[in-house]
Amino acid sequence: MEFESKCVQGSYSPKNGEPRVLPLAQSTTFFYENADKMAYVFDYPETGHLYTRISNPTIDAFEKKIAMLEDGVAALACSSGMAAETLAILNACSAGDNIISSSMVYGGTYNLFNVTLRRYGVDVRFFDPDAKAEDIEKLIDDKTKIIYGETIANPAMTILDFDKFSKIANKYGLIFMVDNTLATPYLLKPKDHGAHVVLHSTTKYLDGHASCVGGIIVDLGNFKFQGNPRFEELFNQPDESYHGRTYSKDFGNATFAAKARCQMMRDFGSQMSPFNAYLTNLNSETLHLRMQRHSENAQKIAELLEKHPQVEWVKYPGLKSDKYYDIAKKYYRGNGFGGMLVFGIKGGKEAAVKFQDSLKFLSIVTHIADSRSSVLHPASTTHRQLTAEDLKACGVPENLIRLSIGIEDYKDIEADILQALEASKK
Ligand code: PLP
C-alpha cells in the first residue's frame, strides 16, 4: 500500500461479517477458557491480549498503523507525548547513564530533560543542533545511550541535520531518537535518514482534531543491540522480572519496542486509553489530506508575513530566505513543510500580546497542529516557567509568536492576521 492508503486502511482488515471500522475494545481485560491458554499469552504476549495496560486490540491496530506509516516494525501507544518520551528514554537508561540532546526542543521536553530526569540520575547533556559534530561528540562517554532531537523544533523551527546526527549515532553505537511530531511521516520519514526510534505526541497532527492527548514510540527495527556494550545489561542479558527473556535475542528487530512494552509499560503504566486510540486512529485516516492543506495555507501565510512591515522576521522552512530551507529541502519528502510557523513582531512583548488578543478567527490555545488555526505567545504562556537564559537556549525570544495554521479557507486566516497586525500598532 502507498502512504495515503495506509492512512485510510492501515493495519485493520475485517474478516467476513466483522465491523468495517476498527472496533472500540473498551475493556480492561480479556477472557481465556483455561489457565494454560492464559499462561501461554503471559509467556508470549505477542500472541494475544490479557490486560489493557499491556495490550488491547484497538490500541494494537492503531500502533501497527503508525508503525507502518513510519516504516517501523512495532509501536507502543502511550497516554501522552511526554509519557512516550519518558518511557522511551528510561527504556534505554539506568541511573548513572546519560543522553545527549539538542537544546532546541519543546519546552515540556526541555523541563523533563533539564530537571526531572536528572533527579532520577539520568543526566542530559544539551548541544546546539547547529554545532559541529566534533563538538557534539565531546559530550559522549561510555555511559551515553541516546542522541535526541526534534525533526522540526517546537517553537524554535530548527530542522535537524539528520546525516550529522546519524553519523555520530553510528560511530558511537548510540540510539538516534527523533521526535517527529511536527513533521509527521507524511512530510518526513526519520528512518530514511538514519533514525532508530521515532516519537510522536499524537495529540498533534496524528489526531489533528484536538480531541485526544496521546503519544507513541515507534521502533524502526534498525538498531543493533547484540554485541553493543552500551546496551549489554539492559537488552542483551536475561530480564529476571520477565521470565528470564533476553530482549535482543527473543524479539528480533522489535527489541526496543518489546522491552518498552513488557518492562516499562508493565511497571510504569501510562498506556493510551482504547477510546483515544479509536479516535486517533479514525482521525489519522485523513492525515495526508490535512497535512497538504496545513502546508499550503502555512506557506502562503509565511510569504505574506515576510513582506509585512509590522513583522521583524519569519521562520518557516518553506521560505527560501529561511536558514533551514536547504536542510529542509534535503530531508522533507516534497509534500510541504507543515502548518507551524513563528514570527517576530515589531514592538516587542507588548505588541505580541496585542496581536494575540486582537485575533478573532484564530484562537489562543496552548496547542498546535489541529485543524483549527491558532496562536500562542510562548514567553507569556507555555514557556513562562523558563528563565530568560532557558528561553534563549530554547530559541524563544520575547516577541516570538507561534502560529499553527489550520485547514480552513485561507482567506479567513489571512484577513484575521492582517487586522490583528494592524491592531498591534496601536
Ligand atoms: N513533542 C512535541 C514536539 C510537542 O510539541 C509536545 C507538546 O506540545 C510534546 C512532545 C509533548 O506531548 P504531549 O503534550 O502529548 O504530552
Side-chain angles (χ1 to χ4, degrees):
M1 274 194 275
E2 297 298 324
F3 187 93
E4 286 78 352
S5 308
K6 288 180 191 166
C7 287
V8 183
Q9 303 217 7
S11 54
Y12 174 69
S13 333
K15 297 192 189 71
N16 205 29
E18 286 183 353
R20 183 63 195 91
V21 173
L22 172 67
L24 168 59
Q26 189 66 39
S27 178
T28 59
T29 195
F30 299 88
F31 168 78
Y32 287 89
E33 285 163 356
N34 59 47
D36 272 359
K37 287 189 178 164
M38 183 182 271
Y40 186 79
V41 183
F42 262 109
D43 288 345
Y44 298 96
E46 56 276 27
T47 61
H49 305 286
L50 289 164
Y51 187 56
T52 286
R53 172 155 36 82
I54 308 298
S55 72
N56 164 292
T58 309
I59 304 173
D60 180 59
F62 171 63
E63 290 169 339
K64 289 201 164 89
K65 185 206 268 189
I66 305 304
M68 284 169 92
L69 295 180
E70 287 285 8
D71 296 332
V73 293
L76 182 66
C78 304
S79 55
S80 69
M82 293 310 299
E85 287 174 30
T86 306
L87 285 199
I89 288 163
L90 295 183
N91 198 33
C93 294
S94 302
D97 290 338
N98 66 73
I99 74 167
I100 62 169
S101 170
S102 164
S103 58
M104 299 296 164
V105 286
Y106 161 63
T109 303
Y110 191 82
N111 238 23
L112 169 71
F113 287 4
N114 196 36
V115 181
T116 308
L117 283 183
R118 290 201 175 128
R119 281 184 29 223
Y120 294 93
V122 176
D123 187 25
V124 182
R125 303 166 180 184
F126 290 106
F127 54 78
D128 174 348
D130 294 336
K132 287 202 190 89
E134 57 260 36
D135 290 330
I136 296 172
E137 287 174 23
K138 286 184 193 143
L139 300 172
I140 299 170
D141 62 24
D142 58 3
K143 293 284 192 186
T144 308
K145 306 288 158 121
I146 295 167
I147 179 164
Y148 188 99
E150 289 180 10
T151 301
I152 173 159
N154 172 16
M157 302 298 286
T158 49
I159 310 275
L160 269 199
D161 188 350
F162 281 84
D163 288 349
K164 180 169 75 180
F165 297 104
S166 153
K167 266 189 211 138
I168 298 174
N170 292 337
K171 182 168 166 192
Y172 291 90
L174 308 179
I175 297 171
F176 182 18
M177 195 177 282
V178 175
D179 179 335
N180 198 32
T181 298
L182 291 183
T184 82
Y186 182 67
L187 301 185
L188 186 149
K189 290 206 190 165
K191 188 175 184 180
D192 291 345
H193 310 294
H196 303 116
V197 173
V198 160
L199 305 176
H200 283 276
S201 163
T202 60
T203 319
K204 308 295 174 325
Y205 288 121
L206 292 182
D207 170 35
H209 295 71
S211 66
C212 303
V213 172
I216 200 159
I217 303 169
V218 186
D219 183 344
L220 299 175
N222 53 356
F223 188 80
K224 206 168 161 289
F225 286 94
Q226 281 185 342
N228 185 330
R230 288 182 195 277
F231 296 100
E232 191 51 31
E233 196 187 328
L234 289 183
F235 288 87
N236 299 334
Q237 299 285 332
D239 175 1
E240 293 315 329
S241 82
Y242 189 56
H243 316 294
R245 296 187 79 182
T246 300
Y247 296 107
S248 65
K249 196 166 109 263
D250 295 347
F251 293 95
N253 58 1
T255 295
F256 190 85
K259 180 170 175 293
R261 181 184 304 282
C262 302
Q263 190 190 66
M264 307 308 288
M265 189 61 91
R266 176 198 66 189
D267 294 352
F268 288 110
S270 74
Q271 75 285 358
M272 181 177 276
S273 74
F275 188 53
N276 278 5
Y278 169 82
L279 277 183
T280 310
N281 182 68
L282 203 55
N283 292 343
S284 69
E285 290 182 8
T286 53
L287 176 72
H288 53 299
L289 297 175
R290 288 185 283 105
M291 292 315 290
Q292 280 168 23
R293 179 61 84 88
H294 280 295
S295 302
E296 280 163 24
N297 280 350
Q299 180 75 36
K300 286 198 257 179
I301 292 292
E303 286 167 12
L304 174 88
L305 289 173
E306 197 176 31
K307 291 189 218 107
H308 198 282
Q310 268 299 98
V311 172
E312 242 173 44
W313 49 264
V314 186
K315 288 189 191 174
Y316 184 69
L319 288 178
K320 287 207 174 73
S321 60
D322 193 85
K323 185 177 169 193
Y324 295 97
Y325 179 76
D326 291 335
I327 294 186
K329 274 259 171 212
K330 179 172 170 191
Y331 298 115
Y332 275 66
R333 300 173 63 210
N335 293 333
F337 299 96
M340 197 178 89
L341 61 96
V342 298
F343 72 97
I345 195 162
K346 283 189 187 154
K349 193 170 174 179
E350 204 186 322
V353 172
K354 259 192 213 157
F355 170 82
Q356 184 177 246
D357 289 349
S358 306
L359 288 165
K360 297 184 178 83
F361 185 72
L362 278 74
S363 41
I364 307 175
V365 289
T366 55
H367 188 245
I368 44 169
D370 73 80
S371 49
R372 298 159 205 90
S373 293
S374 62
V375 63
L376 200 73
H377 177 228
S380 59
T381 54
T382 43
H383 286 56
R384 61 188 297 143
Q385 79 274 26
L386 301 188
T387 62
E389 214 169 72
D390 287 344
L391 278 176
K392 215 172 145 209
C394 287
V396 187
E398 285 196 329
N399 69 339
L400 180 148
I401 292 168
R402 183 179 73 184
L403 295 177
S404 175
I405 302 299
I407 60 173
E408 307 95 335
D409 192 303
Y410 172 76
K411 292 190 286 299
D412 290 321
I413 307 169
E414 181 193 77
D416 198 33
I417 288 175
L418 287 177
Q419 69 78 21
L421 280 171
E422 201 48 40
S424 74
K425 287 198 275 192
K426 293 170 192 148

